Each structure stands twice: as C-alpha cells, then as structure tokens.
Amino acid sequence: MIKEITVGELNPGSFIEEHVEEIRKAVGEGRAINALSGGVDSSVVTMLGHRALGSRLRTVFVDNGIMREGEPDRVSGLFRGLGVPVEVVDARAEFFTALKGLTDPEEKREAITQAFYRHVFGRIVKESGARHLLQGTILTDVDETVAGIKRQHNVFAQLGIDPEEAFGYRILEPLLPLRKDGVRVVGRALGLPEDVFNRKPFPGPALAARVIGEVDPERIAVVRRATAVCERHLEKLDVFQFMAILHADRVPGMRNGKRMYGRQIEVRCWDSLDARNASPTRLPWGTLEAVASDLLQELPDVVSVTYNIAPKPPSTMEAV
Ligand code: XMP
C-alpha cells in the first residue's frame, strides 16, 4: 500500500528534501537516467532528479513520432534553458513499426510500452550503464491500473512485474504518494515555470491515445493538426484537459459540391480535480463553432466534428 500525501498534507520543501536524499541514497555513486516527455509529472521528476544528481542524471527525450506539433524542440529547449541538458533521440520509425496493423486499444498501448521500455529506452539505458530509472508515476496511475480501468504504460511493480528482471533496471518513482494537484505544488517549489507545472496533463501514449483504430504517420498528422487547432481555442481556458480524437470510421459528407467519405473528429474538454472523475466543460456554443470551423478549414478530409457530453465514468478522458 502506498501512503497518499494529499495536497493539504503536503509540505513541498520537505517533500523535495526527503526525495532528493532518497534518490541520492538509492543511486549511490552510480548514474540514473530518465525520460522527459514535457508533461507535468516527467518535468517535475526531471527537476527533482537533476537537483539530486546533477550531471549524473541523463535526461532523454524520446521522439516517438506521436507527440504534438514542435514538441521535441520546445521541451528540450525549455529544459536546456533551465540548466538541464536533454538528449533528443529520434525513434519515430521504431514506434510506427511497432504500431503497424494494430487497432485494439490495449494492444496499441502494449506496443508503445514495449517499444519504449524494451527496445528504445531499454537500449539507451543498457548502453548508458545506468542502473536506475527515474519515473514520474503518480497515485492515480496506480489506482486506475490496479482497478483494471486502464493499463497505464508506466506501472510495473503494482502489476507484479519486476522491471529489473523484465528490462534490466531499477525504477525509482518519487511522485508515487502524490496526485496531480500535489505534483504541481512540488513543481512550483522546484522552480519550474508556471506554464510547465500548471500545464495540462498529456498521456504517455501521446497522440496515439487519441487515434481510434490504426496509428500511422498520416493519421497522427491529422490528429496533430486537430490538436493544434483545439489548443489555439481552448488553451487559455480554465479546464483540466481537452483533446481532439480521430475516429476510425469515415462517414458521408460534402466537399466542393461532391459527396465524399470524410473523417470524423471528436472534441473533448474536461472539468476535473484529479482525473478520477470528470465532466464535460459547458463550453460556449460560439467557442465550439469556432473550433469546428477551423478544423473543417484546416483539415480538408474532415466532414464531421462532434463534442463529447458523456462524463467520466463511464467514459474515460482519452479515447484509447
Ligand atoms: P483516462 O483516459 O484514463 O485519463 O480517463 C485520465 C488521465 O490520465 C491521462 N492518461 C495517461 N497518462 N499514461 C499517462 O501518463 C497513460 O497511459 C495515460 N492514459 C491516460 C489522461 O490524459 C488523463 O489526464
């Protein structure tokens, strides 16, 4: 059982001190490695690890080809600016090969897990000689995985999988007692800029969590464009998270006076405290119309734009 630290109980200063010490003790004279995605959790764990280990922490950004527009450069540049060197590894081909032909959500998640831990990151860790991997798993990830709601890609011990045996390294998860609100408080105390610690969460499987059916470079490009449109309109709103989802089915539509089978984009926007429950944001109709109008204009294949009004549960926030 992991003892939860609620945001009310959290003293960020002593939390940081304690975990810096713990990381130093675990790693000893060795080296640690971590993967940075730019999300709140991995950003906070990167800063914590950097504070504990300095240059003995190697931070890698794996470009898996399924990130948002410009993300590898933006994230690595931001951390370099904070004094944390980040290595960008181009693994796009490997991830798309692993995802080829898969349509089942669990199989897609599993393929991403395997491509990341066993192949790309596993290889980087082995070559680096690091015996410790720092990871930003939080309590909500564990809860949902144990409850069988979703196979989070970053939970092993809780599923009875020994990462040392399976992948050859030990995993350190300093954020385990926290939920997202607590992680943000720690991020602020670590000196991260507000747009990082208050950033909207983004899932490990990245845009693949928003592509129903097969994930390929072309379908990722569609959802990436749609995501950029949603960001433009929704980023500044006080909501927990929003997303554009590409559906698998094509539906009849009309473009330039001709019938065609077009793509369907579903927009979701969530109000939530900690992602365990969520309700769709009551967005103004004008905002929804503006999103739809830009999606239809910038994505010539799209003929249908819908807005999700089902809460979580029974929905999940992501589509995959
Ligand atoms: P769901 O879709 O499970 O999402 O309702 C709840 C929250 O978790 C994020 N999410 C993930 N985060 N790895 C992550 O790091 C994952 O595999 C993953 N799946 C979902 C999702 O974006 C939402 O904030």
Side-chain angles (χ1 to χ4, degrees), residues 9 13 39 43 59 66 98 104 112 119-120 141 157 175 208 217 222 234 256 262 264 276 287 303 308:
E9 295 160 355
S43 295
T59 297
I66 51 180
D104 178 83
I112 293 168
H119 300 290
V120 180
D141 298 335
L175 308 183
V222 173
L234 307 177
N256 307 317
Q264 308 182 69
R276 280 181 292 182
T287 304
V303 298
N308 167 67

mmCIF file with all atom_site columns, all heavy atoms in Angstrom, residues 9 13 39 43 59 66 98 104 112 119-120 141 157 175 208 217 222 234 256 262 264 276 287 303 308:
data_model
loop_
_atom_site.group_PDB
_atom_site.id
_atom_site.type_symbol
_atom_site.label_atom_id
_atom_site.label_alt_id
_atom_site.label_comp_id
_atom_site.label_asym_id
_atom_site.label_entity_id
_atom_site.label_seq_id
_atom_site.pdbx_PDB_ins_code
_atom_site.Cartn_x
_atom_site.Cartn_y
_atom_site.Cartn_z
_atom_site.occupancy
_atom_site.B_iso_or_equiv
_atom_site.pdbx_formal_charge
_atom_site.auth_seq_id
_atom_site.auth_comp_id
_atom_site.auth_asym_id
_atom_site.auth_atom_id
_atom_site.pdbx_PDB_model_num
ATOM 1   N N   . GLU A 1 9   ? -1.853  17.989 3.071   1.00 0.00 ? 9   GLU A N   1
ATOM 2   C CA  . GLU A 1 9   ? -0.805  17.492 3.977   1.00 0.00 ? 9   GLU A CA  1
ATOM 3   C C   . GLU A 1 9   ? 0.600   17.797 3.467   1.00 0.00 ? 9   GLU A C   1
ATOM 4   O O   . GLU A 1 9   ? 1.570   17.705 4.203   1.00 0.00 ? 9   GLU A O   1
ATOM 5   C CB  . GLU A 1 9   ? -0.904  15.955 4.105   1.00 0.00 ? 9   GLU A CB  1
ATOM 6   C CG  . GLU A 1 9   ? -2.169  15.454 4.754   1.00 0.00 ? 9   GLU A CG  1
ATOM 7   C CD  . GLU A 1 9   ? -2.443  13.978 4.426   1.00 0.00 ? 9   GLU A CD  1
ATOM 8   O OE1 . GLU A 1 9   ? -1.700  13.384 3.619   1.00 0.00 ? 9   GLU A OE1 1
ATOM 9   O OE2 . GLU A 1 9   ? -3.400  13.446 4.990   1.00 0.00 ? 9   GLU A OE2 1
ATOM 10  N N   . GLY A 1 13  ? 8.598   21.749 0.472   1.00 0.00 ? 13  GLY A N   1
ATOM 11  C CA  . GLY A 1 13  ? 10.020  21.869 0.818   1.00 0.00 ? 13  GLY A CA  1
ATOM 12  C C   . GLY A 1 13  ? 10.562  20.578 1.395   1.00 0.00 ? 13  GLY A C   1
ATOM 13  O O   . GLY A 1 13  ? 11.598  20.059 0.940   1.00 0.00 ? 13  GLY A O   1
ATOM 14  N N   . GLY A 1 39  ? 5.399   16.586 -19.989 1.00 0.00 ? 39  GLY A N   1
ATOM 15  C CA  . GLY A 1 39  ? 4.208   16.634 -19.145 1.00 0.00 ? 39  GLY A CA  1
ATOM 16  C C   . GLY A 1 39  ? 4.596   17.043 -17.728 1.00 0.00 ? 39  GLY A C   1
ATOM 17  O O   . GLY A 1 39  ? 5.782   17.094 -17.385 1.00 0.00 ? 39  GLY A O   1
ATOM 18  N N   . SER A 1 43  ? 8.278   16.291 -16.023 1.00 0.00 ? 43  SER A N   1
ATOM 19  C CA  . SER A 1 43  ? 9.043   17.532 -15.833 1.00 0.00 ? 43  SER A CA  1
ATOM 20  C C   . SER A 1 43  ? 9.467   17.674 -14.375 1.00 0.00 ? 43  SER A C   1
ATOM 21  O O   . SER A 1 43  ? 10.605  18.036 -14.071 1.00 0.00 ? 43  SER A O   1
ATOM 22  C CB  . SER A 1 43  ? 8.207   18.750 -16.231 1.00 0.00 ? 43  SER A CB  1
ATOM 23  O OG  . SER A 1 43  ? 7.927   18.714 -17.607 1.00 0.00 ? 43  SER A OG  1
ATOM 24  N N   . THR A 1 59  ? 19.078  12.852 -18.979 1.00 0.00 ? 59  THR A N   1
ATOM 25  C CA  . THR A 1 59  ? 17.669  13.021 -19.329 1.00 0.00 ? 59  THR A CA  1
ATOM 26  C C   . THR A 1 59  ? 17.496  12.911 -20.844 1.00 0.00 ? 59  THR A C   1
ATOM 27  O O   . THR A 1 59  ? 18.153  13.624 -21.597 1.00 0.00 ? 59  THR A O   1
ATOM 28  C CB  . THR A 1 59  ? 17.156  14.385 -18.820 1.00 0.00 ? 59  THR A CB  1
ATOM 29  O OG1 . THR A 1 59  ? 17.236  14.389 -17.393 1.00 0.00 ? 59  THR A OG1 1
ATOM 30  C CG2 . THR A 1 59  ? 15.720  14.625 -19.227 1.00 0.00 ? 59  THR A CG2 1
ATOM 31  N N   . ILE A 1 66  ? 4.764   10.469 -32.098 1.00 0.00 ? 66  ILE A N   1
ATOM 32  C CA  . ILE A 1 66  ? 3.345   10.630 -31.778 1.00 0.00 ? 66  ILE A CA  1
ATOM 33  C C   . ILE A 1 66  ? 3.119   11.781 -30.792 1.00 0.00 ? 66  ILE A C   1
ATOM 34  O O   . ILE A 1 66  ? 2.121   11.835 -30.092 1.00 0.00 ? 66  ILE A O   1
ATOM 35  C CB  . ILE A 1 66  ? 2.719   9.297  -31.263 1.00 0.00 ? 66  ILE A CB  1
ATOM 36  C CG1 . ILE A 1 66  ? 3.543   8.683  -30.129 1.00 0.00 ? 66  ILE A CG1 1
ATOM 37  C CG2 . ILE A 1 66  ? 2.602   8.285  -32.397 1.00 0.00 ? 66  ILE A CG2 1
ATOM 38  C CD1 . ILE A 1 66  ? 2.980   7.371  -29.579 1.00 0.00 ? 66  ILE A CD1 1
ATOM 39  N N   . ALA A 1 98  ? 6.171   -0.654 -34.641 1.00 0.00 ? 98  ALA A N   1
ATOM 40  C CA  . ALA A 1 98  ? 5.533   -1.433 -33.565 1.00 0.00 ? 98  ALA A CA  1
ATOM 41  C C   . ALA A 1 98  ? 4.011   -1.304 -33.609 1.00 0.00 ? 98  ALA A C   1
ATOM 42  O O   . ALA A 1 98  ? 3.287   -2.224 -33.213 1.00 0.00 ? 98  ALA A O   1
ATOM 43  C CB  . ALA A 1 98  ? 6.062   -0.967 -32.218 1.00 0.00 ? 98  ALA A CB  1
ATOM 44  N N   . ASP A 1 104 ? -6.622  -2.682 -31.686 1.00 0.00 ? 104 ASP A N   1
ATOM 45  C CA  . ASP A 1 104 ? -7.134  -2.868 -30.333 1.00 0.00 ? 104 ASP A CA  1
ATOM 46  C C   . ASP A 1 104 ? -6.422  -1.910 -29.366 1.00 0.00 ? 104 ASP A C   1
ATOM 47  O O   . ASP A 1 104 ? -5.191  -1.851 -29.353 1.00 0.00 ? 104 ASP A O   1
ATOM 48  C CB  . ASP A 1 104 ? -6.886  -4.318 -29.903 1.00 0.00 ? 104 ASP A CB  1
ATOM 49  C CG  . ASP A 1 104 ? -7.351  -4.565 -28.486 1.00 0.00 ? 104 ASP A CG  1
ATOM 50  O OD1 . ASP A 1 104 ? -8.548  -4.807 -28.305 1.00 0.00 ? 104 ASP A OD1 1
ATOM 51  O OD2 . ASP A 1 104 ? -6.517  -4.472 -27.549 1.00 0.00 ? 104 ASP A OD2 1
ATOM 52  N N   . ILE A 1 112 ? 3.295   0.322  -27.513 1.00 0.00 ? 112 ILE A N   1
ATOM 53  C CA  . ILE A 1 112 ? 4.041   1.540  -27.154 1.00 0.00 ? 112 ILE A CA  1
ATOM 54  C C   . ILE A 1 112 ? 4.920   1.271  -25.929 1.00 0.00 ? 112 ILE A C   1
ATOM 55  O O   . ILE A 1 112 ? 6.085   1.660  -25.882 1.00 0.00 ? 112 ILE A O   1
ATOM 56  C CB  . ILE A 1 112 ? 3.068   2.719  -26.920 1.00 0.00 ? 112 ILE A CB  1
ATOM 57  C CG1 . ILE A 1 112 ? 2.393   3.086  -28.242 1.00 0.00 ? 112 ILE A CG1 1
ATOM 58  C CG2 . ILE A 1 112 ? 3.799   3.926  -26.337 1.00 0.00 ? 112 ILE A CG2 1
ATOM 59  C CD1 . ILE A 1 112 ? 1.209   4.028  -28.113 1.00 0.00 ? 112 ILE A CD1 1
ATOM 60  N N   . HIS A 1 119 ? 12.656  -1.796 -26.111 1.00 0.00 ? 119 HIS A N   1
ATOM 61  C CA  . HIS A 1 119 ? 13.520  -1.517 -27.259 1.00 0.00 ? 119 HIS A CA  1
ATOM 62  C C   . HIS A 1 119 ? 14.242  -0.182 -27.092 1.00 0.00 ? 119 HIS A C   1
ATOM 63  O O   . HIS A 1 119 ? 15.362  -0.151 -26.602 1.00 0.00 ? 119 HIS A O   1
ATOM 64  C CB  . HIS A 1 119 ? 12.718  -1.599 -28.555 1.00 0.00 ? 119 HIS A CB  1
ATOM 65  C CG  . HIS A 1 119 ? 12.127  -2.974 -28.724 1.00 0.00 ? 119 HIS A CG  1
ATOM 66  N ND1 . HIS A 1 119 ? 12.912  -4.073 -28.992 1.00 0.00 ? 119 HIS A ND1 1
ATOM 67  C CD2 . HIS A 1 119 ? 10.863  -3.431 -28.594 1.00 0.00 ? 119 HIS A CD2 1
ATOM 68  C CE1 . HIS A 1 119 ? 12.136  -5.164 -29.046 1.00 0.00 ? 119 HIS A CE1 1
ATOM 69  N NE2 . HIS A 1 119 ? 10.884  -4.786 -28.805 1.00 0.00 ? 119 HIS A NE2 1
ATOM 70  N N   . VAL A 1 120 ? 13.580  0.919  -27.405 1.00 0.00 ? 120 VAL A N   1
ATOM 71  C CA  . VAL A 1 120 ? 14.272  2.216  -27.473 1.00 0.00 ? 120 VAL A CA  1
ATOM 72  C C   . VAL A 1 120 ? 14.927  2.603  -26.142 1.00 0.00 ? 120 VAL A C   1
ATOM 73  O O   . VAL A 1 120 ? 16.151  2.715  -26.038 1.00 0.00 ? 120 VAL A O   1
ATOM 74  C CB  . VAL A 1 120 ? 13.288  3.322  -27.908 1.00 0.00 ? 120 VAL A CB  1
ATOM 75  C CG1 . VAL A 1 120 ? 13.994  4.657  -27.968 1.00 0.00 ? 120 VAL A CG1 1
ATOM 76  C CG2 . VAL A 1 120 ? 12.675  2.968  -29.251 1.00 0.00 ? 120 VAL A CG2 1
ATOM 77  N N   . ASP A 1 141 ? -2.299  6.961  -11.441 1.00 0.00 ? 141 ASP A N   1
ATOM 78  C CA  . ASP A 1 141 ? -1.869  5.941  -12.411 1.00 0.00 ? 141 ASP A CA  1
ATOM 79  C C   . ASP A 1 141 ? -2.000  4.552  -11.792 1.00 0.00 ? 141 ASP A C   1
ATOM 80  O O   . ASP A 1 141 ? -2.486  3.617  -12.420 1.00 0.00 ? 141 ASP A O   1
ATOM 81  C CB  . ASP A 1 141 ? -0.387  6.135  -12.799 1.00 0.00 ? 141 ASP A CB  1
ATOM 82  C CG  . ASP A 1 141 ? -0.123  7.469  -13.480 1.00 0.00 ? 141 ASP A CG  1
ATOM 83  O OD1 . ASP A 1 141 ? -1.054  8.023  -14.067 1.00 0.00 ? 141 ASP A OD1 1
ATOM 84  O OD2 . ASP A 1 141 ? 1.033   7.935  -13.421 1.00 0.00 ? 141 ASP A OD2 1
ATOM 85  N N   . ALA A 1 157 ? 5.563   -2.405 -10.873 1.00 0.00 ? 157 ALA A N   1
ATOM 86  C CA  . ALA A 1 157 ? 5.590   -3.099 -9.582  1.00 0.00 ? 157 ALA A CA  1
ATOM 87  C C   . ALA A 1 157 ? 4.176   -3.463 -9.139  1.00 0.00 ? 157 ALA A C   1
ATOM 88  O O   . ALA A 1 157 ? 3.925   -4.568 -8.657  1.00 0.00 ? 157 ALA A O   1
ATOM 89  C CB  . ALA A 1 157 ? 6.263   -2.217 -8.536  1.00 0.00 ? 157 ALA A CB  1
ATOM 90  N N   . LEU A 1 175 ? 7.240   10.334 -7.078  1.00 0.00 ? 175 LEU A N   1
ATOM 91  C CA  . LEU A 1 175 ? 5.953   11.046 -7.007  1.00 0.00 ? 175 LEU A CA  1
ATOM 92  C C   . LEU A 1 175 ? 4.781   10.137 -6.651  1.00 0.00 ? 175 LEU A C   1
ATOM 93  O O   . LEU A 1 175 ? 3.630   10.575 -6.638  1.00 0.00 ? 175 LEU A O   1
ATOM 94  C CB  . LEU A 1 175 ? 5.666   11.763 -8.345  1.00 0.00 ? 175 LEU A CB  1
ATOM 95  C CG  . LEU A 1 175 ? 6.770   12.663 -8.893  1.00 0.00 ? 175 LEU A CG  1
ATOM 96  C CD1 . LEU A 1 175 ? 6.313   13.354 -10.180 1.00 0.00 ? 175 LEU A CD1 1
ATOM 97  C CD2 . LEU A 1 175 ? 7.190   13.707 -7.859  1.00 0.00 ? 175 LEU A CD2 1
ATOM 98  N N   . ALA A 1 208 ? -1.335  8.835  -29.788 1.00 0.00 ? 208 ALA A N   1
ATOM 99  C CA  . ALA A 1 208 ? -1.893  7.500  -30.072 1.00 0.00 ? 208 ALA A CA  1
ATOM 100 C C   . ALA A 1 208 ? -3.107  7.224  -29.186 1.00 0.00 ? 208 ALA A C   1
ATOM 101 O O   . ALA A 1 208 ? -3.966  6.414  -29.533 1.00 0.00 ? 208 ALA A O   1
ATOM 102 C CB  . ALA A 1 208 ? -0.833  6.417  -29.872 1.00 0.00 ? 208 ALA A CB  1
ATOM 103 N N   . PRO A 1 217 ? 1.671   7.288  -39.508 1.00 0.00 ? 217 PRO A N   1
ATOM 104 C CA  . PRO A 1 217 ? 2.125   8.684  -39.554 1.00 0.00 ? 217 PRO A CA  1
ATOM 105 C C   . PRO A 1 217 ? 1.080   9.631  -40.123 1.00 0.00 ? 217 PRO A C   1
ATOM 106 O O   . PRO A 1 217 ? 0.926   10.765 -39.656 1.00 0.00 ? 217 PRO A O   1
ATOM 107 C CB  . PRO A 1 217 ? 3.364   8.619  -40.473 1.00 0.00 ? 217 PRO A CB  1
ATOM 108 C CG  . PRO A 1 217 ? 3.857   7.220  -40.353 1.00 0.00 ? 217 PRO A CG  1
ATOM 109 C CD  . PRO A 1 217 ? 2.640   6.370  -40.150 1.00 0.00 ? 217 PRO A CD  1
ATOM 110 N N   . VAL A 1 222 ? -3.040  13.995 -38.857 1.00 0.00 ? 222 VAL A N   1
ATOM 111 C CA  . VAL A 1 222 ? -4.392  14.572 -38.783 1.00 0.00 ? 222 VAL A CA  1
ATOM 112 C C   . VAL A 1 222 ? -4.722  14.979 -37.347 1.00 0.00 ? 222 VAL A C   1
ATOM 113 O O   . VAL A 1 222 ? -5.167  16.097 -37.075 1.00 0.00 ? 222 VAL A O   1
ATOM 114 C CB  . VAL A 1 222 ? -5.452  13.566 -39.310 1.00 0.00 ? 222 VAL A CB  1
ATOM 115 C CG1 . VAL A 1 222 ? -6.865  14.090 -39.063 1.00 0.00 ? 222 VAL A CG1 1
ATOM 116 C CG2 . VAL A 1 222 ? -5.233  13.281 -40.790 1.00 0.00 ? 222 VAL A CG2 1
ATOM 117 N N   . LEU A 1 234 ? -8.651  26.636 -26.962 1.00 0.00 ? 234 LEU A N   1
ATOM 118 C CA  . LEU A 1 234 ? -9.020  26.197 -25.608 1.00 0.00 ? 234 LEU A CA  1
ATOM 119 C C   . LEU A 1 234 ? -7.907  26.323 -24.578 1.00 0.00 ? 234 LEU A C   1
ATOM 120 O O   . LEU A 1 234 ? -8.156  26.227 -23.372 1.00 0.00 ? 234 LEU A O   1
ATOM 121 C CB  . LEU A 1 234 ? -9.524  24.738 -25.647 1.00 0.00 ? 234 LEU A CB  1
ATOM 122 C CG  . LEU A 1 234 ? -10.641 24.438 -26.657 1.00 0.00 ? 234 LEU A CG  1
ATOM 123 C CD1 . LEU A 1 234 ? -10.995 22.954 -26.648 1.00 0.00 ? 234 LEU A CD1 1
ATOM 124 C CD2 . LEU A 1 234 ? -11.896 25.272 -26.356 1.00 0.00 ? 234 LEU A CD2 1
ATOM 125 N N   . ASN A 1 256 ? -16.964 20.704 -51.833 1.00 0.00 ? 256 ASN A N   1
ATOM 126 C CA  . ASN A 1 256 ? -16.954 21.249 -53.199 1.00 0.00 ? 256 ASN A CA  1
ATOM 127 C C   . ASN A 1 256 ? -18.078 20.659 -54.054 1.00 0.00 ? 256 ASN A C   1
ATOM 128 O O   . ASN A 1 256 ? -17.863 20.274 -55.203 1.00 0.00 ? 256 ASN A O   1
ATOM 129 C CB  . ASN A 1 256 ? -15.606 20.996 -53.880 1.00 0.00 ? 256 ASN A CB  1
ATOM 130 C CG  . ASN A 1 256 ? -14.453 21.503 -53.027 1.00 0.00 ? 256 ASN A CG  1
ATOM 131 O OD1 . ASN A 1 256 ? -14.536 22.590 -52.469 1.00 0.00 ? 256 ASN A OD1 1
ATOM 132 N ND2 . ASN A 1 256 ? -13.401 20.707 -52.900 1.00 0.00 ? 256 ASN A ND2 1
ATOM 133 N N   . GLY A 1 262 ? -15.654 11.203 -45.487 1.00 0.00 ? 262 GLY A N   1
ATOM 134 C CA  . GLY A 1 262 ? -14.694 12.037 -44.759 1.00 0.00 ? 262 GLY A CA  1
ATOM 135 C C   . GLY A 1 262 ? -14.403 11.517 -43.366 1.00 0.00 ? 262 GLY A C   1
ATOM 136 O O   . GLY A 1 262 ? -15.023 10.566 -42.873 1.00 0.00 ? 262 GLY A O   1
ATOM 137 N N   . GLN A 1 264 ? -13.949 11.858 -39.150 1.00 0.00 ? 264 GLN A N   1
ATOM 138 C CA  . GLN A 1 264 ? -14.693 12.438 -38.033 1.00 0.00 ? 264 GLN A CA  1
ATOM 139 C C   . GLN A 1 264 ? -13.740 12.793 -36.904 1.00 0.00 ? 264 GLN A C   1
ATOM 140 O O   . GLN A 1 264 ? -12.971 11.943 -36.456 1.00 0.00 ? 264 GLN A O   1
ATOM 141 C CB  . GLN A 1 264 ? -15.688 11.437 -37.467 1.00 0.00 ? 264 GLN A CB  1
ATOM 142 C CG  . GLN A 1 264 ? -16.615 10.806 -38.475 1.00 0.00 ? 264 GLN A CG  1
ATOM 143 C CD  . GLN A 1 264 ? -17.581 9.867  -37.771 1.00 0.00 ? 264 GLN A CD  1
ATOM 144 O OE1 . GLN A 1 264 ? -18.457 10.312 -37.034 1.00 0.00 ? 264 GLN A OE1 1
ATOM 145 N NE2 . GLN A 1 264 ? -17.402 8.570  -37.986 1.00 0.00 ? 264 GLN A NE2 1
ATOM 146 N N   . ARG A 1 276 ? -9.851  11.450 -11.674 1.00 0.00 ? 276 ARG A N   1
ATOM 147 C CA  . ARG A 1 276 ? -10.579 10.221 -11.339 1.00 0.00 ? 276 ARG A CA  1
ATOM 148 C C   . ARG A 1 276 ? -12.011 10.289 -11.837 1.00 0.00 ? 276 ARG A C   1
ATOM 149 O O   . ARG A 1 276 ? -12.585 9.307  -12.276 1.00 0.00 ? 276 ARG A O   1
ATOM 150 C CB  . ARG A 1 276 ? -10.552 9.978  -9.827  1.00 0.00 ? 276 ARG A CB  1
ATOM 151 C CG  . ARG A 1 276 ? -9.234  9.361  -9.376  1.00 0.00 ? 276 ARG A CG  1
ATOM 152 C CD  . ARG A 1 276 ? -9.216  9.098  -7.909  1.00 0.00 ? 276 ARG A CD  1
ATOM 153 N NE  . ARG A 1 276 ? -9.201  10.339 -7.151  1.00 0.00 ? 276 ARG A NE  1
ATOM 154 C CZ  . ARG A 1 276 ? -9.143  10.412 -5.834  1.00 0.00 ? 276 ARG A CZ  1
ATOM 155 N NH1 . ARG A 1 276 ? -9.139  9.306  -5.123  1.00 0.00 ? 276 ARG A NH1 1
ATOM 156 N NH2 . ARG A 1 276 ? -9.107  11.574 -5.213  1.00 0.00 ? 276 ARG A NH2 1
ATOM 157 N N   . THR A 1 287 ? -17.608 29.162 -28.985 1.00 0.00 ? 287 THR A N   1
ATOM 158 C CA  . THR A 1 287 ? -16.271 28.558 -28.941 1.00 0.00 ? 287 THR A CA  1
ATOM 159 C C   . THR A 1 287 ? -16.269 27.249 -29.723 1.00 0.00 ? 287 THR A C   1
ATOM 160 O O   . THR A 1 287 ? -15.365 26.976 -30.517 1.00 0.00 ? 287 THR A O   1
ATOM 161 C CB  . THR A 1 287 ? -15.868 28.292 -27.464 1.00 0.00 ? 287 THR A CB  1
ATOM 162 O OG1 . THR A 1 287 ? -15.958 29.516 -26.752 1.00 0.00 ? 287 THR A OG1 1
ATOM 163 C CG2 . THR A 1 287 ? -14.469 27.716 -27.357 1.00 0.00 ? 287 THR A CG2 1
ATOM 164 N N   . VAL A 1 303 ? -15.256 15.854 -42.278 1.00 0.00 ? 303 VAL A N   1
ATOM 165 C CA  . VAL A 1 303 ? -16.621 16.295 -42.593 1.00 0.00 ? 303 VAL A CA  1
ATOM 166 C C   . VAL A 1 303 ? -17.521 16.307 -41.358 1.00 0.00 ? 303 VAL A C   1
ATOM 167 O O   . VAL A 1 303 ? -18.657 16.749 -41.423 1.00 0.00 ? 303 VAL A O   1
ATOM 168 C CB  . VAL A 1 303 ? -17.271 15.405 -43.685 1.00 0.00 ? 303 VAL A CB  1
ATOM 169 C CG1 . VAL A 1 303 ? -16.488 15.501 -44.992 1.00 0.00 ? 303 VAL A CG1 1
ATOM 170 C CG2 . VAL A 1 303 ? -17.411 13.955 -43.223 1.00 0.00 ? 303 VAL A CG2 1
ATOM 171 N N   . ASN A 1 308 ? -18.043 15.733 -27.142 1.00 0.00 ? 308 ASN A N   1
ATOM 172 C CA  . ASN A 1 308 ? -18.458 14.699 -26.199 1.00 0.00 ? 308 ASN A CA  1
ATOM 173 C C   . ASN A 1 308 ? -19.158 15.299 -24.980 1.00 0.00 ? 308 ASN A C   1
ATOM 174 O O   . ASN A 1 308 ? -18.645 16.234 -24.372 1.00 0.00 ? 308 ASN A O   1
ATOM 175 C CB  . ASN A 1 308 ? -17.223 13.924 -25.722 1.00 0.00 ? 308 ASN A CB  1
ATOM 176 C CG  . ASN A 1 308 ? -17.558 13.066 -24.523 1.00 0.00 ? 308 ASN A CG  1
ATOM 177 O OD1 . ASN A 1 308 ? -18.313 12.108 -24.635 1.00 0.00 ? 308 ASN A OD1 1
ATOM 178 N ND2 . ASN A 1 308 ? -17.031 13.426 -23.378 1.00 0.00 ? 308 ASN A ND2 1
#
